[in-house]
Amino acid sequence: MTLGSTDGAWHGNILGMTFKSGIEKGGDRARRTGGGGGIAIGGGIGGLLLVGLFVLLGGDPSILQGGGQEELPQGSSQCNTSDDANKSSDCRVEFTAISVDRVWQEQLERQSGVKYTEPGLNIFTNSTRSGCGIASSSTGPFYCPADQSAYFDVSFFDMLAKLGGSDGPLAQEYVVAHEFGHHIQKLEGTLGRSNYNQPGPESDAVKIELQADCYAGMWAHFADDGENALLEQLTDAQVQQALDTAMAIGDDTIQQHQGGEVKPDLWTHGSGKQRKQAFLTGYQHGSMKKCDYLERGVYKY
């Protein structure tokens, strides 16, 4: 797997196809919920992150407080085929989850000896209740270890482009694969090492987040390979969408976006360049050993 220059910008509506046409999902992978009520975010944000980025790609929503939810009928989803996933962010999240499941079902045990179990998947509107508390669309995507589920309100993807990332399909799919990366860490027994109250460039929190980025890159490495692959062959331009987004949501770029100075001692997710490189490492090598940011030395490949 090679990629050209990673310095180019591929912003905007680069929608293109990522999923092969005509694939039926064969049953609902996602649970869909929605609700009203307010949401309050408190605790150690400390001005580091935009409110909508507190748990973007891995924050802890356990401090959230807010209103309730209601179960939406599964029939409200029109996500039946991969063609729907190429048109709709809602469907794209669900089909990406199916793709990520397929990759890790094979690779996790092969490379680490750990058996893969599927995480829960919740696509919600406005607000939802998780095992970690109440979350709203302003919370951002997150993985809750308490109920081993990933949560997404797709309206949040609109923020990615505003932050200088991409709203293209692989950028969105990267977000999904990153959250599933935290599930892999949960299965490995390492997710608990992430302590957002002890930030810094060398913190375990940063290492956990960079590893999840690398795991997302691993998914992209395998997701378009073989007869059972759900994705069409990825192009450099599509991969660049994920790289642009990783760069845009680094701690340093977020701090700069807020108009403040860069303070590495407050980092919890890593710099933009680090996040970009982590995804690229996973994408180019497809190796858990290459993603061993925690330096455990336990991987076969």
Side-chain angles (χ1 to χ4, degrees):
M1 298 251 177
T2 60
L3 186 72
S5 172
T6 61
D7 296 325
W10 295 87
H11 304 290
N13 297 315
I14 309 172
L15 295 180
M17 174 184 290
T18 51
F19 291 99
K20 296 177 180 178
S21 180
I23 300 174
E24 296 185 1
K25 67 179 181 181
D28 288 317
R29 175 65 177 87
R31 174 175 175 255
R32 287 174 167 79
T33 58
I39 191 78
I41 298 181
I45 298 177
L48 172 61
L49 301 178
L50 298 172
V51 171
L53 291 167
F54 172 52
V55 292
L56 173 63
L57 307 184
D60 180 2
S62 62
I63 63 172
L64 305 181
Q65 301 173 359
Q69 67 166 9
E70 62 178 337
E71 188 84 18
L72 297 179
Q74 292 294 339
S76 65
S77 168
Q78 300 300 315
C79 303
N80 298 314
T81 72
S82 54
D83 299 288
D84 299 322
N86 285 329
K87 299 174 184 176
S88 161
S89 295
D90 174 277
C91 301
R92 187 173 296 117
V93 168
E94 185 169 11
F95 269 82
T96 302
I98 296 171
S99 175
V100 177
D101 286 337
R102 290 188 182 186
V103 168
W104 284 114
Q105 192 71 49
E106 178 178 342
Q107 294 301 323
L108 182 59
E109 189 165 11
R110 175 177 176 267
Q111 297 199 28
S112 72
V114 175
K115 186 175 178 60
Y116 181 71
T117 59
E118 295 181 359
L121 175 66
N122 186 300
I123 301 174
F124 67 95
T125 303
N126 296 326
S127 67
T128 192
R129 185 183 302 277
S130 77
C132 296
I134 303 297
S136 79
S137 55
S138 65
T139 304
F142 66 94
Y143 173 78
C144 174
D147 59 15
Q148 296 190 35
S149 296
Y151 292 80
F152 302 90
D153 184 323
V154 297
S155 66
F156 188 80
F157 291 139
D158 294 338
M159 184 178 290
L160 294 180
K162 295 177 182 178
L163 290 170
S166 168
D167 59 0
L170 200 72
Q172 297 178 7
E173 291 158 13
Y174 153 59
V175 172
V176 177
H178 176 105
E179 298 307 336
F180 274 55
H182 286 314
H183 179 63
I184 298 301
Q185 293 165 334
K186 172 68 174 177
L187 297 177
E188 291 185 275
T190 60
L191 187 58
R193 289 180 57 174
S194 181
N195 185 348
Y196 295 91
N197 292 320
Q198 294 181 339
E202 302 299 324
S203 66
D204 278 352
V206 167
K207 293 175 183 178
I208 285 287
E209 294 300 332
L210 293 179
Q211 185 179 58
D213 283 333
C214 195
Y215 284 171
M218 280 187 61
W219 161 76
H221 175 93
F222 292 105
D224 63 354
D225 186 29
E227 294 182 359
N228 294 324
L230 294 186
L231 268 64
E232 293 280 2
Q233 192 71 39
L234 294 176
T235 67
D236 284 3
Q238 289 171 328
V239 175
Q240 191 68 50
Q241 296 169 10
L243 296 175
D244 285 345
T245 299
M247 188 75 179
I249 55 177
D251 284 326
D252 55 339
T253 46
I254 291 173
Q255 289 172 333
Q256 291 170 338
H257 187 84
Q258 290 181 290
E261 63 179 300
V262 174
K263 297 181 179 180
D265 60 318
L266 296 178
W267 288 0
T268 57
H269 287 63
S271 70
K273 288 184 178 180
Q274 286 177 313
R275 302 197 68 171
K276 178 179 176 179
Q277 184 58 51
F279 179 91
L280 189 58
T281 296
Y283 175 68
Q284 290 179 328
H285 298 282
S287 162
M288 295 186 77
K289 183 178 289 188
K290 292 289 187 180
C291 296
D292 190 13
Y293 284 85
L294 296 172
E295 300 181 329
R296 298 170 65 222
V298 299
Y299 303 109
K300 300 176 184 177
Y301 307 103

